[in-house]
Amino acid sequence: MQNWKTIPQLLVLSLLTMLVACGAPQSDVPSLGFVDAFEDNTIEKAKIGFLAAMKDAGYAEEDETLQLIYRNAQGDIPTLTQIVKYMISQDVDLMATSPSLSTIAAIQNTSSIPIFMIVAPTPALMNVQDEAGKDPPNLYGIAENLSYIDTSFSIIPKLIEPKGDRLRIGLLYNQSEPQSVDAFERLEGLANAMNVELVARPVNATADVPLVTGALLNAGIDAFFANPDNTIFGSFENIIKACNEAEVPVFTSEAGLVDRGAVAAYGADLYQWGYQAGQQAAKFLKAGSAEGMSWEMVKVRKKVYNPTSAERFGIEVPAEYESIK
């Protein structure tokens, strides 16, 4: 006969066991580890699009058809690495990584878990290919090259009158980000071909941006081009405030930055970028295999403008550009 004093203890143990069982991952529900490198309202749209595509395909946390583990490194690289390692320890079925910093960290730490990149350049631009020029075998998702930058940059001379002999366009680039350096070098060649002077300054971190932006504005630039890199995304409000005060219009190749104050852009719609990646991830889960899959290029790009910013600077934007307001 069982001692009555042990009954409460057994009840507590039974209850704890039930709670643990209820909270334990369900083996028949796929798990997604979503890794964000930092907080940013523009890049957030890609995450929203990704999860929307997953839900449309039948995978949603609220429907208990997907286990979502989300972490944000808040701009700290060591934390980002720890997050990726945590996802690996949780044996997630796939990882979604946004933007390129997260993708690179994931590639450096796993070659088996499928990685679905968002808001990232091509593997070649990220410098993650092997010596033979092959992409990481577990890398999927959606990438972008730099060709779209030409369209955004080329519109500036059509809309801005130079103060001097020729147009002077300011640019910041992060010399520690390969894709940022590549974009700068591409624009440098384009500017020369267009007889435009590119006044470029390097930065190493977000903290450098206010001072270096001030130096660019003091150099008498006619316009500022927001280079598509993580540093610009993270400090754009400082840039747009300083440029507006100096009466210098900002142009970019990222539609999301137009919503935050740039005049115009031709570039990827980040929600659609995420949605396209989410569709591919859902396809992987349904098939249970990545056989025959590979990373893809962005499909949806837009020409957009901010009417408030355009009016501020008296700029008449071409009719084919869509208002974001």
Side-chain angles (χ1 to χ4, degrees):
M1 185 174 177
Q2 191 162 3
N3 190 320
W4 66 270
K5 293 181 179 181
T6 65
I7 292 177
Q9 296 175 340
L10 292 173
L11 288 173
V12 171
L13 287 172
S14 298
L15 180 60
L16 286 173
T17 301
M18 290 173 63
L19 289 173
V20 170
C22 290
Q26 301 176 47
S27 58
D28 59 337
V29 176
S31 55
L32 165 66
F34 200 111
V35 184
D36 255 331
F38 51 84
E39 293 280 355
D40 182 84
N41 292 336
T42 301
I43 293 177
E44 171 76 6
K45 294 178 181 178
K47 174 194 168 192
I48 294 171
F50 185 97
L51 295 178
M54 294 285 285
K55 182 174 183 178
D56 288 346
Y59 299 102
E61 184 179 32
E62 58 267 33
D63 299 333
E64 298 185 353
T65 51
L66 179 72
Q67 298 175 63
L68 174 63
I69 305 175
Y70 176 75
R71 296 290 186 275
N72 191 308
Q74 303 294 332
D76 186 73
I77 299 300
T79 300
L80 182 59
T81 301
Q82 291 174 3
I83 288 171
V84 170
K85 290 182 176 179
Y86 173 74
M87 298 299 183
I88 295 169
S89 73
Q90 295 301 296
D91 195 27
V92 294
D93 293 299
L94 71 162
M95 268 193 270
T97 54
S98 177
S100 54
L101 289 174
S102 297
T103 300
I104 293 170
I107 290 169
Q108 290 173 340
N109 285 278
T110 180
S111 58
S112 57
I113 297 176
I115 299 167
F116 290 82
M117 60 180 167
I118 320 171
V119 196
T122 63
L125 290 173
M126 282 191 291
N127 290 339
V128 296
Q129 293 177 317
D130 63 19
E131 294 179 357
K134 293 183 178 180
D135 300 336
N138 60 327
L139 181 61
Y140 307 97
I142 313 301
E144 178 66 293
N145 58 25
L146 296 176
S147 60
Y148 71 102
I149 291 180
D150 298 358
T151 303
S152 288
F153 192 82
S154 298
I155 191 180
I156 302 175
K158 300 174 184 177
L159 303 178
I160 301 295
E161 291 292 333
K163 299 171 185 173
D165 295 335
R166 61 175 180 160
L167 198 67
R168 306 183 80 229
I169 301 176
L171 173 81
L172 298 182
Y173 67 96
N174 190 329
Q175 53 193 348
S176 64
E177 289 188 34
Q179 69 270 23
S180 185
V181 175
D182 288 338
F184 156 61
E185 292 174 348
R186 184 183 185 96
L187 291 175
E188 189 174 38
L190 182 61
N192 290 333
M194 295 166 53
N195 194 31
V196 168
E197 182 180 355
L198 186 66
V199 185
R201 298 287 187 273
V203 294
N204 294 310
T206 302
D208 301 335
V209 170
L211 183 63
V212 183
T213 300
L216 272 180
L217 294 172
N218 289 333
I221 58 175
D222 299 301
F224 182 97
F225 187 80
N227 198 25
D229 65 40
N230 298 317
T231 303
I232 295 297
F233 278 126
S235 53
F236 190 71
E237 273 60 43
N238 288 328
I239 292 170
I240 201 73
K241 182 176 184 294
C243 287
N244 283 345
E245 290 175 352
E247 298 184 354
V248 172
V250 177
F251 294 84
T252 182
S253 57
E254 299 298 334
L257 295 183
V258 174
D259 190 39
R260 292 163 69 178
V263 174
Y266 170 66
D269 180 302
L270 293 194
Y271 177 89
Q272 293 298 330
W273 191 335
Y275 196 92
Q276 186 181 346
Q279 287 179 314
Q280 193 189 62
K283 181 180 177 181
F284 161 74
L285 290 178
K286 286 185 181 298
S289 169
E291 185 176 354
M293 295 178 63
S294 61
W295 65 269
E296 303 170 359
M297 291 292 295
V298 166
K299 293 179 180 177
V300 180
R301 297 182 182 89
K302 285 185 175 182
K303 292 181 178 181
V304 296
Y305 78 101
N306 186 313
T308 302
S309 298
E311 183 179 0
R312 172 193 287 271
F313 296 102
I315 296 173
E316 188 174 342
V317 180
E320 68 265 26
Y321 278 71
E322 174 187 333
S323 171
I324 52 94
K325 299 293 186 181

